[in-house]
Amino acid sequence: MSLTKASTKDHSKIAAWTFKVTFQPSMQFHADGFDLVHVGKWRQFDGIVGAVLEVDSKEGAQGYFRYDDPRIVIHFDKVSNWKSVSVDSTAPCRQRPVLQAAYIPAGVPWWIIGNAKRRFSHLNIYMHKDRLTRYLSPALGKSAALAAIKRPIDLDEPGSLMTLAKLLSDEISMPTHHPLHAENLVGSIITGLLHITVPEPDVSPRKLTPGQLDKIFACFEPGRTQRVPVPEMASIVGMSESWFSQLFKNTTGTRPLEWQRIRKIDDVKTMLRDTDLPLAEIAYELGFTDQSHMTKAFKQLVGMGPAAWRLSQK
């Protein structure tokens, strides 16, 4: 931690407890008129430090804070009617009320002006920027995570975040659970404050891959006239029969046995068009029980008998 312009002895106390942890948020600040009521409670996690502080603010108190890592500040009291703040990367030019919850990105200065005497308590969560990126990247992707952690955010009505902050504050002040419990609370606060939403579900149907289709089609070698059972087709690509049937329909538009029936009628059409063989011989060559069986199946799909269809192609 690097401290500059530490104008009160109380800020030396902050330095004292921060130096006790392995992750030391590096910061620059000066503060006049803000006095710590006590040293504060703090707790370290993986790349995270949580601290609960109670502060007396004098009328006209002023502060400047700049951290090299991101942090979250959640006030347990309404403070919008007595302090103004500017979060800006260049100068304190945008004064507005302090809101109850704020996310301040790494390197972004925070100016505070207190316009009333009051005691307030707040939760500070200091996070190593690499730790925060690692936390968000699996859900968002690294580029989206890096973009998300650069945006300042504040809320006037934190809602459920306030409940989470109080639970975390209690766990920092008096630990009763495994550290994983507190780390999960931090994660929930981060995702809530940074508006990390559930991605839109992929509604496109699952399909067989071209490679899987090639394996299935390969089992229909030339001259094979018998139907291939669905369990055999499913086993070729290592799937259950029901799951294979669904993916096959998503891919081809028909169920496996219906697809085979259409394919067989297509073979009938080819022989009707390209040969002069009698219908009975075509039925035999393609594995139908007899000519009437072929004629019935052909009519169901084509809407006319094979003899009429042959004439229509001349």
Side-chain angles (χ1 to χ4, degrees):
M1 174 193 286
S2 62
L3 302 176
T4 64
K5 299 183 181 178
S7 58
T8 70
K9 63 180 180 181
D10 291 315
H11 285 87
S12 297
K13 296 178 182 177
I14 297 178
W17 60 255
T18 308
F19 273 121
K20 295 177 183 177
V21 300
T22 55
F23 164 53
Q24 299 173 1
S26 178
M27 66 178 177
Q28 298 175 334
F29 69 82
H30 68 264
D32 293 308
F34 293 107
D35 299 321
L36 284 173
V37 177
H38 53 73
V39 172
K41 300 288 186 179
W42 64 271
R43 192 173 177 191
Q44 181 197 8
F45 309 102
D46 178 20
I48 300 168
V49 174
V52 181
L53 303 175
E54 190 170 1
V55 178
D56 277 334
S57 171
K58 298 177 183 178
E59 186 173 355
Q62 296 186 27
Y64 165 86
F65 304 86
R66 182 186 180 280
Y67 288 74
D68 291 339
D69 289 284
R71 67 181 178 128
I72 289 173
V73 180
I74 299 180
H75 291 89
F76 294 116
D77 312 286
K78 279 284 187 178
V79 291
S80 58
N81 63 341
W82 62 277
K83 280 202 303 185
S84 59
V85 66
S86 174
V87 178
D88 195 279
S89 60
T90 55
C93 56
R94 296 183 298 156
Q95 291 192 3
R96 51 183 169 71
V98 172
L99 303 186
Q100 276 199 273
Y103 167 77
I104 303 107
V108 173
W110 205 37
W111 286 268
I112 300 176
I113 303 172
N115 51 26
K117 182 178 180 180
R118 184 169 177 180
R119 176 173 294 187
F120 64 96
S121 61
H122 61 291
L123 169 69
N124 281 359
I125 303 173
Y126 308 89
M127 300 159 287
H128 193 286
K129 52 182 175 290
D130 292 341
R131 172 70 169 86
L132 184 56
T133 303
R134 290 198 309 272
Y135 176 75
L136 296 175
S137 291
L140 302 182
K142 187 170 182 179
S143 60
L146 289 172
I149 67 176
K150 293 178 181 178
R151 294 192 297 267
I153 294 174
D154 51 13
L155 298 174
D156 193 28
E157 297 293 339
S160 60
L161 290 179
M162 187 60 67
T163 301
L164 294 171
K166 289 179 178 177
L167 289 171
L168 180 58
S169 175
D170 291 342
E171 191 63 23
I172 291 171
S173 300
M174 188 175 295
T176 58
H177 297 84
H178 190 279
L180 184 62
H181 173 70
E183 290 184 24
N184 285 331
L185 289 173
V186 172
S188 296
I189 292 171
I190 290 169
T191 54
L193 189 54
L194 271 62
H195 305 295
I196 307 301
T197 58
V198 177
E200 290 293 327
D202 183 4
V203 296
S204 59
R206 290 282 304 277
K207 295 182 179 182
L208 295 170
T209 66
Q212 290 171 327
L213 281 176
D214 288 344
K215 289 181 179 179
I216 294 166
F217 294 159
C219 72
F220 294 93
E221 67 273 5
R224 178 165 182 169
T225 59
Q226 297 302 313
R227 176 184 296 175
V228 179
V230 177
E232 181 180 334
M233 297 174 72
S235 67
I236 291 172
V237 290
M239 295 182 182
S240 68
E241 180 179 345
S242 59
W243 183 234
F244 167 78
S245 296
Q246 183 61 58
L247 265 59
F248 190 92
K249 184 178 181 181
N250 292 345
T251 308
T252 66
T254 58
R255 294 286 182 180
L257 293 182
E258 179 67 10
W259 177 84
Q260 291 189 63
R261 191 162 72 100
I262 294 171
R263 178 179 176 276
K264 197 165 187 178
I265 296 303
D266 286 341
D267 290 341
V268 174
K269 288 180 178 179
T270 299
M271 295 190 74
L272 288 170
R273 184 179 57 245
D274 298 344
T275 74
D276 294 324
L277 291 174
L279 298 184
E281 190 169 342
I282 292 175
Y284 174 78
E285 290 287 340
L286 295 179
F288 288 96
T289 304
D290 50 32
Q291 179 180 333
S292 62
H293 178 211
M294 182 185 74
T295 299
K296 181 179 179 180
F298 195 94
K299 280 185 176 180
Q300 287 177 339
L301 286 179
V302 181
M304 64 176 73
W309 187 87
R310 172 179 264 177
L311 287 174
S312 71
Q313 301 302 303
K314 293 186 181 296

